[in-house]
Amino acid sequence: MHHFAYRHGVLHAEGISLNDMASQVGTPFYCYSTATLTRHYEVFAQAFAGADSLICYSVKANSNLAVLKTLGQLGSGMDVVSEGELRRARAAGIAPERIVFSGVGKTREEMAFALEEGIHAFNVESEAELTALSEVAAAGGHEARIAIRVNPDIDPKTHKKISTGKAEDKFGVPYARARELYTRAAAMPGIQLRGVHMHIGSQITDLTPFGDAFALLRDLAGQLREDGHSIEFINFGGGLGVPYRGDNDVPPHPDDYARTVRAAAKDLNVRLLFEPGRMIAANAGILVTRVLYTKKGANKTFTVVDAAMNDLIRPTLYEAWHEMWPVREELRKESPQTTDVVGPVCETGDYLALDRALPPFHEGDLMAVMTAGAYGAVQSSTYNTRPLIPEVMVSGDGFAIVRPRPSFEELLGLDRIPEWLK
Ligand code: LLP
């Protein structure tokens, strides 16, 4: 469910015509819907109504300060993976006790900063990291609250580049070694054991791997309590998928996901933590691009648009499918034609869609690339010296540019000429 819909023949973001927005902002740009963000957060939160829970939105999915602030005002905490993300969460007004810190490569400087801030918990991913955290905490007179991230060796049945819960993935501590590591952690200075953590992957559309993983988490929490550790929370990670492709991929409803979680946590009397990213942000954003040219190859048709792989890398990196809607509704009535949607970047991998049956887009037409609110803008780059594209947020009948398009001067001004070239 999202708030991008046709009104009077023109695609709107909530109350705003994307035609109007494009003429004011220029293309390409990302557009986010406040109502959609809010709805998704609330659907997730309501699924856990009555439970002691903390939702830590995964900042990496979309880290624009306006997005973070919108979610923070709804009560969301944040899951961060770098000092930069932690600073963003704090700048958006998120209380430190609602922030968790994940990632396999936290530096000692990042640990010290997060300890100073007083975050809720670190998700520790290895014994070496645990040792470093203990040293940093003890040296600074802090107590680091932690959960150990456990790798359950479960196949989440998603794209291989976004699976994190299999034995060969770099994440977490092998399940079989976790209990022993908790025993060691309990004796380390500056470390307070508080919970267990797992995150098995992203864009998961089947409940079975979640159920299998959560059952293991439940067993582990029980064993750890037997060993005398206080387990106050279980962090179930993120990973709930979204429907990129209409009826073709149907993710579980948050209520069904919640049933699986509740079954695993039953009678444990623990706080439930979550780190959803995509489920909150993906459908709340679109990428609006304009058709520059149409082009007939020897055996293919190409629709050349002004957005490229540097703006949205998901299609070429994960073979991701994003629906493409014409801003002008009339186009949908015409018979579809098969085309590659490609950008101006000088690489064959620069495409947004391959062999896609789409309405016959012509030069100048606006196209909305749907479900682009998560892992879109955050993964963009300036490759080919293309300035990062603007981000716009809509709320009802109003909108604001929440990240302006940088000028070429700003982009070139990031470089410095060394003395010997002057
Ligand atoms: N927690 C941890 C520890 C994570 O590593 C991630 C995502 C999440 C939570 C949030 O997962 P979500 O609910 O969004 O599935 N760039 C890729 C996705 C990378 C996901 C990385 N980790 C893509 O565009 O598909």
Side-chain angles (χ1 to χ4, degrees):
M1 224 314 260
H2 57 70
H3 293 260
F4 300 98
Y6 292 98
R7 288 189 191 184
H8 318 296
V10 177
L11 189 59
H12 279 57
E14 302 187 25
I16 304 281
S17 147
L18 290 167
N19 252 337
D20 296 348
M21 192 183 289
S23 43
Q24 287 182 54
V25 178
T27 55
F29 62 91
Y30 278 100
C31 172
Y32 308 135
S33 150
T34 302
T36 314
L37 273 177
T38 304
R39 183 190 148 81
H40 289 168
Y41 178 82
E42 282 178 347
V43 166
F44 197 87
Q46 274 157 21
F48 294 99
D52 179 13
S53 64
L54 174 62
I55 299 170
C56 295
Y57 165 71
S58 196
V59 170
K60 65 174 83 66
N62 186 322
S63 59
N64 190 289
L65 289 177
V67 169
L68 303 188
K69 198 147 190 155
T70 302
L71 293 170
Q73 286 181 356
L74 296 170
S76 186
M78 305 269 147
D79 156 49
V80 303
V81 293
S82 68
E83 179 172 339
E85 285 192 353
L86 176 50
R87 286 179 182 272
R88 277 184 182 273
R90 297 289 291 124
I94 311 299
E97 58 272 16
R98 303 178 80 76
I99 298 176
V100 296
F101 194 164
S102 312
V104 296
K106 303 174 195 80
T107 65
R108 286 171 186 253
E109 292 74 20
E110 287 179 316
M111 291 172 180
F113 181 72
L115 286 165
E116 270 311 313
E117 289 288 302
I119 63 165
H120 178 66
F122 291 84
N123 295 326
V124 171
E125 304 236 10
S126 65
E127 181 161 10
E129 182 195 336
L130 185 60
T131 307
L133 183 59
S134 164
E135 288 170 9
V136 173
H142 294 291
E143 292 288 328
R145 291 173 289 276
I146 71 153
I148 292 178
R149 176 172 181 178
V150 182
N151 182 320
D153 193 18
I154 282 175
D155 184 353
K157 298 190 207 122
T158 182
H159 192 273
K160 66 177 186 309
K161 287 185 182 157
I162 53 175
S163 154
T164 56
K166 289 199 288 183
E168 60 266 37
D169 299 329
K170 69 177 176 179
F171 299 95
V173 171
Y175 188 80
R177 295 220 288 272
R179 202 169 171 181
E180 178 199 333
L181 189 57
Y182 270 88
T183 303
R184 236 169 301 157
M188 290 188 180
I191 297 292
Q192 285 184 7
L193 295 175
R194 289 291 169 85
V196 284
H197 176 238
M198 205 180 261
H199 170 78
I200 59 171
S202 196
Q203 184 53 16
I204 300 171
T205 52
D206 178 356
L207 274 180
T208 311
F210 281 128
D212 295 348
F214 298 167
L216 288 175
L217 263 180
R218 174 183 176 81
D219 291 348
L220 180 62
Q223 291 164 6
L224 293 173
R225 280 186 173 165
E226 275 171 33
D227 294 347
H229 306 301
S230 103
I231 299 300
E232 294 169 8
F233 68 81
I234 296 182
N235 184 334
F236 294 88
L240 197 54
V242 301
Y244 281 103
R245 203 173 168 169
D247 296 339
N248 272 313
D249 54 354
V250 183
H253 190 277
D255 287 343
D256 297 323
Y257 170 81
R259 262 187 283 284
T260 308
V261 169
R262 284 179 194 265
K266 192 161 179 271
D267 302 329
L268 285 181
N269 198 17
V270 280
R271 189 173 199 205
L272 313 176
L273 263 64
F274 304 98
E275 302 169 345
R278 193 188 308 266
M279 186 271 155
I280 307 284
N283 257 326
I286 61 174
L287 167 63
V288 180
T289 180
R290 198 179 287 280
V291 176
L292 295 172
Y293 307 107
T294 55
K295 164 170 173 169
K296 283 215 185 316
N299 47 21
K300 274 200 159 198
T301 301
F302 300 96
T303 304
V304 186
V305 297
D306 62 4
M309 66 187 285
N310 70 299
D311 304 308
L312 180 66
I313 203 164
R314 303 198 66 260
T316 193
L317 190 55
Y318 314 109
E319 293 139 293
W321 171 290
H322 289 263
E323 281 188 14
M324 294 170 163
W325 293 8
V327 168
R328 191 156 54 87
E329 189 175 18
E330 247 179 8
L331 269 183
R332 293 175 81 124
K333 296 187 196 122
E334 296 182 36
S335 49
Q337 293 174 4
T338 301
T339 185
D340 285 5
V341 179
V342 302
V345 162
C346 299
E347 290 209 25
T348 302
D350 177 28
Y351 55 81
L352 299 179
L354 293 179
D355 295 320
R356 186 72 69 85
L358 287 177
F361 281 96
H362 297 297
E363 248 178 78
D365 284 332
L366 288 170
M367 177 191 281
V369 181
M370 308 302 290
T371 322
Y375 307 111
V378 283
Q379 290 194 271
S380 59
S381 77
T382 57
Y383 187 39
N384 279 205
T385 306
R386 292 165 50 82
L388 294 182
I389 66 175
E391 293 170 77
V392 180
M393 183 173 259
V394 177
S395 180
D397 291 334
F399 75 87
I401 295 176
V402 295
R403 183 168 74 187
R405 192 188 306 277
S407 67
F408 286 109
E409 288 70 27
E410 285 166 321
L411 182 51
L412 269 59
L414 294 172
D415 296 1
R416 296 289 179 274
I417 307 284
E419 278 308 313
W420 67 85
L421 290 178
K422 281 183 182 164

